[in-house]
Amino acid sequence: MKELYIIYIAKLLGIESWQVENCAQLIADGCTVPFISRYRKERTGGLSDMEVAEVKHWTEVFEEMDKRKASILKTIDEQGKLTPELRTKIEECVVSSELEDLYLPYRPKRKTRATVAAARGLQPLADLLWKGKVTRPEEEARKYVKGEVASADEALQGARDIIAERISETAVNRETLRSIYRTRRVQSRVTKAGSEAPEAAKYRSYFNFSQPIGKIPAHNLLAMLRAQDEGYLKVDIDADGEKCGNKLYYDYCQAQGYPSREAGLQIREAVDDAWKRLLDPSITGEVIREAKEKADAESINVFGENLRQLLLAPPVGQKRVMAIDPGFRTGCKVVCLDAQGNLLAHDVIFPHPPASRKIEAIEKVAGWVEKYGIEVIAIGSGTAGRETEDFIRKVGLPEGVRVFSVSEDGASVYSASEVGREEFPEYDVTVRGAVSIGRRLMDPLAELVKIDPKSLGVGQYQHDVDQALLKEKLDNTVESCVNAVGVSLNTASPYLLQYVSGIGPALSKAITDYRKANGDFTSRDELKKVPRLGAKAFQQCAGFLRIAGAANPLDNSAVHPESYHIVDRMARDLGVTTRELVGNAELCRKIEASRYVEGDFGLPTINDIIQELQKPGRDPRESAQEFSFADDIRDLEDLKVGMELPGLVTNLTAFGAFVDIGLHENGLIHASQMGVRGMAVPSKVLKLHQHIMVQVLSVDLERRRIGLRLLK
């Protein structure tokens, strides 16, 4: 990677240039983000997976920029206008807007007022006026009255069109205006369609709205731009045309010298036209797009963090589960799963109106609990979820059977997906949805990777942001979570395996096909027998795959095979076997890390190995906890200002947290009500699905909105 790119990335991310350079080289060598952040800490200075992902993102950005530069240089060179100075300026660009500004005067154009004027022979007149030495413009213009130019006024108009385009295409002018516009206010005004359409009412806060563009919250800007796309608002920047024109004219005079009075009038008229017709729309669009890119990044980061918390939600583990997808009229779909998530039985019960076959439902549930040894019950949190949970708790469950409310978001998407059909081809969508609810309680990570993250109900303006950037962030997040937890090689589905470092969809299928044909893997080394899984893929994936009961206990840990010899040395030095060392915290504390530093294995790697040896294969996730809503709150009308209630965090945004308090409507804790000074960042205060206590601040029955405050 070019040094100027390395320096730019290092400054942007607040890290050292050598860290960027080494990280970029590892990426170029085919290493994945999880592998680099976990097993190459010496090379990167301990960069986190998020920082490595950022470096990867920017290496790809600059790869594309180099392609763009090559295309631009070729185009300008073919025109015979590529000077050494221009080449240097282009090659040294690191910001795309600056690159495009340099290219703008040479970009092949469609028909414009300036190109028409030039075709009529008015370029020489424009050049004379530009130099500012013409004392009698009208007299000079008469020399060009011929052909399609009918008068001196037409000649001057054409010359001004050429000058206006030159002003608008000058890189310095464009950057000057960008700097001005970035300090101004973005404003929105309601359109005629917006004032007449009832559905535009949700945007009424923006019908007459204005805020500094550098300070506008992401959700405000994205809402305004969505409303503009729908035709309800007009969004622009409140730039002062006279001040902008004065600045452009002053800069012209500084560069060209002060013109004669008559030429100056012509130039000033061209400047004003350039600002109004060409620069203002263009720079407004650029600066708003620039602000949107920042808003996109903020919203995508919120989505990514929410997804991380969702995927790393506490699992109940391998338990025998009864899962219920609640419903009123159509009944509650019930499935029973074994500890591995295999479907044992399914049926429908009708404990609620209009059928109200409660006795029959009780008998069925009690029978299934006994027959299948049910240990936990998962109840979907959607329609009839609260009522179904109340019913189940009154069944008279055996002691120790725990009941959990589970988010249904995405279950219907899974049930109708190709993955769902492939897993359960003989069952309908209702059974698949209930299975998904049960499995996501057992292991949220293993189940949720089968569902498009955008269907999981934790985004903020997810359909309005840059979709390519969103996909990149979400893919990185899923990959990070899967590899942070580790994957059981002998039980993982191909949908989970494909997110393991270095594997992907093709190799995940090859692994599961090999497993079906040859039985369980007995060692990590056996992976090398999988067709098309070469040395590089093995290096990238091996440390993240676990084999319970393997002959070598390190195969069920996060210690990478390339480091096994170090662990063997540690064991020999302590006078024990490797098996005796693994999991023995007391022995591990006796290891002197510095003795084992060698070659590429520095202290960070050795310390990671020692930490892993103490608790090999430890799941970093917490244990799942039961939760109950307030019994006396069933409808919005039951709420009173001042009430203190238990709640469950369902979504985090930049402006606050949405909380389920047991009603159909979620309440909102605004960022200002987080119980800390100033405007708190919700994701720094709360976690997704966290159990909290809240106080009711407001109840809007008409708009069905609940305002909450976080209690300590």
Side-chain angles (χ1 to χ4, degrees):
M1 182 185 287
K2 294 178 182 176
E3 186 178 3
L4 76 159
Y5 297 154
I6 291 171
I7 293 170
Y8 179 87
I9 296 171
K11 184 177 180 181
L12 183 70
L13 302 183
I15 58 180
E16 298 296 326
S17 294
W18 65 266
Q19 292 176 290
V20 175
E21 185 173 11
N22 287 351
C23 191
Q25 185 58 57
L26 287 166
I27 292 167
D29 291 342
C31 295
T32 66
V33 171
F35 179 82
I36 293 169
S37 61
R38 172 73 190 187
Y39 297 113
R40 292 296 180 264
K41 291 182 178 179
E42 288 81 4
R43 294 280 301 277
T44 69
L47 293 181
S48 69
D49 57 349
M50 293 177 66
E51 289 170 320
V52 174
E54 281 291 302
V55 173
K56 183 174 184 287
H57 168 77
W58 284 103
T59 59
E60 292 168 354
V61 167
F62 287 126
E63 283 174 6
E64 290 303 310
M65 183 176 284
D66 274 340
K67 293 176 185 176
R68 178 64 175 157
K69 286 180 180 180
S71 173
I72 287 172
L73 289 169
K74 182 174 181 291
T75 300
I76 299 174
D77 192 33
E78 287 172 349
Q79 296 174 10
K81 299 177 181 178
L82 184 59
T83 64
E85 180 185 11
L86 181 57
R87 177 185 288 276
T88 299
K89 284 183 178 180
I90 289 172
E91 289 177 343
E92 290 181 353
C93 272
V94 292
V95 179
S96 59
S97 61
E98 293 175 3
L99 176 62
E100 296 304 324
D101 281 351
L102 291 171
Y103 179 45
L104 190 58
Y106 309 98
R107 179 184 292 164
K109 295 181 178 67
R110 294 180 179 179
K111 185 176 180 181
T112 67
R113 283 166 51 170
T115 59
V116 169
R120 290 176 177 175
L122 297 174
Q123 186 69 53
L125 177 59
D127 292 341
L128 286 171
L129 287 173
W130 183 255
K131 292 173 183 175
K133 303 304 181 184
V134 178
T135 56
R136 296 180 178 178
E138 279 198 39
E139 187 174 315
E140 186 67 30
R142 290 192 190 98
K143 300 176 184 177
Y144 297 86
V145 177
K146 54 187 174 182
E148 296 181 26
V149 182
S151 66
D153 285 343
E154 277 192 24
L156 288 173
Q157 178 62 62
R160 290 196 299 270
D161 289 341
I162 293 171
I163 292 170
E165 187 165 276
R166 179 182 295 177
I167 290 168
S168 74
E169 291 180 347
T170 301
V172 172
N173 291 341
R174 298 184 71 82
E175 188 51 44
T176 294
L177 286 193
R178 281 194 203 98
S179 298
I180 293 172
Y181 279 47
R182 287 171 186 143
T183 67
R184 304 296 295 180
R185 301 175 76 86
V186 61
Q187 57 189 13
S188 58
R189 300 290 180 268
V190 65
T191 62
K192 185 171 185 283
S195 62
E196 295 174 352
E199 54 269 30
K202 59 187 175 184
Y203 299 118
R204 61 174 174 263
S205 300
Y206 304 104
F207 280 7
N208 187 20
F209 181 87
S210 175
Q211 194 161 4
I213 194 163
K215 296 181 179 180
I216 186 169
H219 62 280
N220 288 146
L221 182 62
L222 292 173
M224 289 162 59
L225 295 177
R226 178 191 288 180
Q228 178 171 251
D229 289 343
E230 293 173 1
Y232 301 139
L233 294 180
K234 167 65 177 171
V235 180
D236 58 21
I237 294 175
D238 70 339
D240 186 320
E242 185 175 353
K243 288 183 179 179
C244 289
N246 289 341
K247 175 61 177 169
L248 291 172
Y249 185 68
Y250 174 78
D251 288 349
Y252 158 80
C253 293
Q254 290 296 106
Q256 296 294 132
Y258 284 87
S260 67
R261 180 178 178 280
E262 291 77 6
L265 291 173
Q266 295 293 326
I267 296 294
R268 181 57 202 243
E269 193 172 343
V271 163
D272 291 340
D273 176 51
W275 177 80
K276 183 176 182 180
R277 181 169 57 88
L278 302 172
L279 284 166
D280 181 50
S282 176
I283 301 301
T284 292
E286 284 186 27
V287 172
I288 289 177
R289 280 194 299 275
E290 184 181 273
K292 184 183 181 293
E293 286 174 5
K294 293 179 181 177
D296 283 359
E298 182 180 325
S299 296
I300 288 169
N301 284 336
V302 169
F303 197 165
E305 180 56 31
N306 285 351
L307 179 62
R308 180 182 300 276
Q309 293 182 20
L310 190 64
L311 294 176
L312 296 180
V316 297
Q318 291 188 320
K319 306 286 185 183
R320 293 181 295 278
V321 176
M322 176 186 292
I324 305 176
D325 185 357
F328 288 117
R329 184 180 57 81
T330 57
C332 299
K333 279 63 72 179
V334 183
V335 297
C336 295
L337 310 174
D338 67 15
Q340 286 71 46
N342 298 310
L343 179 61
L344 301 175
H346 67 92
D347 205 340
V348 181
I349 58 174
F350 296 87
H352 311 306
S356 297
R357 287 147 51 184
K358 190 167 292 188
I359 300 300
E360 176 188 86
I362 291 173
E363 290 173 349
K364 283 187 175 183
V365 169
W368 291 324
V369 169
E370 181 179 359
K371 180 177 180 179
Y372 298 110
I374 298 299
E375 297 171 274
V376 293
I377 298 177
I379 301 172
S381 61
T383 301
R386 183 85 183 275
E387 293 79 0
T388 302
E389 185 177 342
D390 290 343
F391 161 74
I392 288 294
R393 292 187 184 277
K394 294 173 183 176
V395 166
L397 299 171
E399 187 176 352
V401 176
R402 296 185 292 165
V403 179
F404 294 86
S405 175
V406 178
S407 170
E408 292 182 8
D409 289 328
S412 60
V413 173
Y414 162 79
S415 64
S417 69
E418 184 178 342
V419 175
R421 291 193 297 272
E422 187 176 321
E423 287 195 308
F424 298 100
E426 68 274 35
Y427 297 106
D428 67 18
V429 292
T430 62
V431 174
R432 296 175 197 152
V435 170
S436 180
I437 290 170
R439 284 180 170 180
R440 67 176 63 183
L441 176 63
M442 298 171 72
D443 189 341
L445 180 59
E447 188 64 20
L448 294 177
V449 294
K450 303 172 186 176
I451 302 169
D452 182 349
K454 289 187 285 187
S455 300
L456 295 176
V458 293
Q460 177 187 337
Y461 290 95
Q462 62 194 48
H463 300 294
D464 300 290
V465 300
D466 184 314
Q467 294 300 296
L469 196 60
L470 176 62
K471 184 179 186 304
E472 178 186 335
K473 177 69 174 181
L474 299 185
D475 286 348
N476 286 341
T477 300
V478 174
E479 184 182 52
S480 171
C481 292
V482 169
N483 291 282
V485 171
V487 171
S488 170
L489 181 55
N490 286 324
T491 61
S493 70
Y495 316 107
L496 183 60
L497 279 170
Q498 69 181 334
Y499 288 104
V500 173
S501 167
I503 292 184
L507 279 181
S508 71
K509 185 177 186 305
I511 290 170
T512 52
D513 286 348
Y514 179 92
R515 196 171 66 196
K516 287 175 186 175
N518 301 278
D520 286 353
F521 287 87
T522 57
S523 71
R524 281 172 168 167
D525 234 29
E526 194 180 347
L527 275 166
K528 296 175 182 177
K529 297 180 181 179
V530 174
R532 300 189 303 281
L533 199 153
K536 190 68 179 182
F538 179 82
Q539 178 200 49
Q540 298 299 303
C541 74
F544 302 103
L545 296 169
R546 310 280 185 267
I547 304 176
N552 188 336
L554 295 177
D555 282 352
N556 195 34
S557 75
V559 177
H560 197 282
E562 67 187 8
S563 303
Y564 282 9
H565 69 284
I566 295 176
V567 179
D568 292 339
R569 271 183 56 205
M570 291 174 174
R572 285 196 303 270
D573 291 347
L574 290 167
V576 298
T577 65
T578 297
R579 181 170 292 280
E580 289 171 327
L581 175 59
V582 175
N584 191 321
E586 186 177 347
L587 282 175
C588 290
R589 283 193 287 269
K590 295 179 181 179
I591 298 172
E592 188 180 336
S594 59
R595 291 183 58 190
Y596 302 95
V597 172
E598 59 175 50
D600 293 331
F601 301 97
L603 271 178
T605 293
I606 303 303
N607 285 328
D608 279 351
I609 290 171
I610 295 171
Q611 184 179 6
E612 179 64 19
L613 288 176
Q614 294 183 51
K615 294 182 179 180
R618 181 179 65 88
D619 192 325
R621 297 172 291 181
E622 299 174 354
S623 299
Q625 302 293 324
E626 288 184 87
F627 174 83
S628 296
F629 295 112
D631 287 336
D632 55 343
I633 303 300
R634 300 287 168 169
D635 299 299
L636 197 63
E637 289 75 8
D638 295 333
L639 292 180
K640 298 290 184 287
V641 172
M643 278 185 171
E644 296 183 2
L645 306 168
L648 195 66
V649 179
T650 59
N651 197 8
L652 294 168
T653 69
F655 56 85
F658 288 95
V659 180
D660 184 358
I661 56 174
L663 305 178
H664 293 297
E665 299 81 7
N666 282 345
L668 172 66
I669 307 175
H670 190 267
S672 61
Q673 299 296 329
M674 294 287 182
V676 295
R677 289 187 177 181
M679 291 282 284
V681 178
S683 61
K684 301 292 185 184
V685 180
L686 296 171
K687 291 184 178 180
L688 210 62
H689 293 174
Q690 182 176 340
H691 302 172
I692 59 174
M693 288 296 295
V694 297
Q695 184 180 56
V696 178
L697 291 183
S698 61
V699 182
D700 186 336
L701 294 175
E702 182 182 351
R703 299 170 73 186
R704 312 292 291 180
R705 291 185 178 180
I706 308 163
L708 303 172
R709 180 168 71 88
L710 178 64
L711 296 175
K712 292 295 186 182

